[in-house]
Amino acid sequence: MELQKSFQEACQDKEFESFRQELGGDENVLMRYTSQLEDALEEKKHCEGCPSLSACKNKVWGYRLTPRLVKNKVDFSYDACPYERTRAKETAYQTYLYLFEMPEEIKRASLKEVYLDDKKRVPIMKFFQDFLKNYGPHSSQKGLYLYGSFGSGKTYLIAALFNELAKKKVESAIVYFPELLRKLKTSFLESNELFERVKKAPLLLLDDIGAENMTPWARDEILGSILQYRMQSHLPTFFTSNFNLEQLEKHLSMTTSGVDQVKARRIIERIKQLSIEQDLISSNRRN
């Protein structure tokens, strides 16, 4: 009786009555779902005239609770609105970009939004144009070793390039290098899978190399192994750093076990085989 009473009271509302008639079905079935139908109607009303995805008022952002009559019951599902479907289509490329300890906004980096007011970015953009034009799964193009001042946009620039290639379904990985070392050292169960994913990524950016506390293990077993594999497999590799290669070599030579210039030089030679050194000394755009 209580179910019937609640349903009949709800039907006194003209919008609800029209909504349930549009759905169809026997009242004895529909009355079991009165509260959910009222919620679905409210979300339907929210969607009518909604100006944008950011204005969504529904419980699940970008989705609407939708009832469907199936035999002797009502099934409810969350259906994406047109704005959400458009957003999903426009950002589908992001599934090809793997981030490790990087901010999510990197996925939205775009070459169209790169500031060109700084002439120091011109050779970098020229490199990107050539890379996009010539890149292929069997090409052996070099990446970029991009070094320079803090906050100059080094990571954003390379992420924007990777996003352009992601739109062509090219997989890539952007990895914060100091945190990668920490993770590999402390998480034995996950480390092998992570290490293999980074090492074999079709495109790779090792971000902020030189910011880590260097150990022989990190230099020789991790960095050296990644670079050696990528050299042999002809996989484009990019780097960002606050150090130029001469400064990085000094950093790599000084570990917790002492100074080893020979092994540091070996790493630098691999980086040179994989990338072209380019500076970006610019104002801090993070301010």
Side-chain angles (χ1 to χ4, degrees), residues 8 25 42 46 70 79 96 152 158 172 181 184 206 215 233 267:
Q8 289 175 344
E42 187 67 18
H46 287 163
V70 181
D79 293 352
Y96 293 92
S152 57
I158 297 174
S172 61
L181 295 178
L184 293 178
L206 293 179
T215 66
S233 302
I267 296 293

Side-chain angles (χ1 to χ4, degrees), residues 114-125 128 144-158 239-244 276-285:
V114 170
Y115 293 106
L116 296 177
D117 55 338
D118 189 343
K119 292 182 179 180
K120 295 176 181 177
R121 292 169 178 250
V122 173
I124 298 169
M125 297 304 293
F128 287 174
L144 201 63
Y145 181 90
L146 190 57
Y147 74 92
S149 49
F150 175 82
S152 57
K154 300 183 294 294
T155 305
Y156 183 95
L157 284 168
I158 297 174
F239 309 83
T240 64
S241 180
N242 291 333
F243 293 153
N244 62 29
I276 297 170
E277 186 178 16
Q278 175 66 50
D279 70 300
L280 180 59
I281 311 298
S282 184
S283 58
N284 187 343
R285 295 182 182 271

Side-chain angles (χ1 to χ4, degrees), residues 130-266:
D130 292 341
F131 192 92
L132 288 168
K133 179 181 179 181
N134 298 317
Y135 177 81
H138 303 295
S139 64
S140 56
Q141 290 174 266
K142 285 189 174 185
L144 201 63
Y145 181 90
L146 190 57
Y147 74 92
S149 49
F150 175 82
S152 57
K154 300 183 294 294
T155 305
Y156 183 95
L157 284 168
I158 297 174
L161 172 66
F162 282 15
N163 283 339
E164 284 300 312
L165 287 160
K167 294 172 184 176
K168 300 178 182 180
K169 299 184 178 181
V170 177
E171 294 183 353
S172 61
I174 299 179
V175 176
Y176 183 58
F177 187 63
E179 187 61 22
L180 172 68
L181 295 178
R182 190 198 67 79
K183 184 72 172 181
L184 293 178
K185 187 174 182 179
T186 60
S187 183
F188 297 104
L189 294 177
E190 302 175 23
S191 61
N192 187 61
E193 181 180 352
L194 174 61
F195 182 68
E196 290 298 311
R197 183 171 193 172
V198 170
K199 185 173 72 172
K200 297 179 179 180
L203 287 174
L204 174 64
L205 166 59
L206 293 179
D207 185 56
D208 213 5
I209 188 170
E212 70 287 334
N213 292 319
M214 187 51 62
T215 66
W217 168 83
R219 180 191 61 206
D220 305 327
E221 301 300 322
I222 303 303
L223 180 58
S225 296
I226 290 173
L227 300 183
Q228 183 66 27
Y229 179 88
R230 298 186 69 80
M231 279 177 53
Q232 294 173 343
S233 302
H234 305 289
L235 295 173
T237 309
F238 291 72
F239 309 83
T240 64
S241 180
N242 291 333
F243 293 153
N244 62 29
L245 285 176
E246 183 179 348
Q247 293 167 330
L248 182 66
E249 181 176 350
K250 183 177 180 181
H251 169 75
L252 293 172
S253 69
M254 301 173 65
T255 71
T256 54
S257 297
V259 178
D260 194 328
Q261 294 178 341
V262 173
K263 290 184 178 178
R265 165 53 52 177
R266 187 178 301 157

Side-chain angles (χ1 to χ4, degrees), residues 23-26 29-30 67-75:
L23 179 62
D26 187 271
V29 174
L30 298 181
R68 291 180 178 86
L69 194 64
V70 181
K71 296 182 179 180
N72 290 322
K73 65 176 184 177
V74 178
D75 279 350

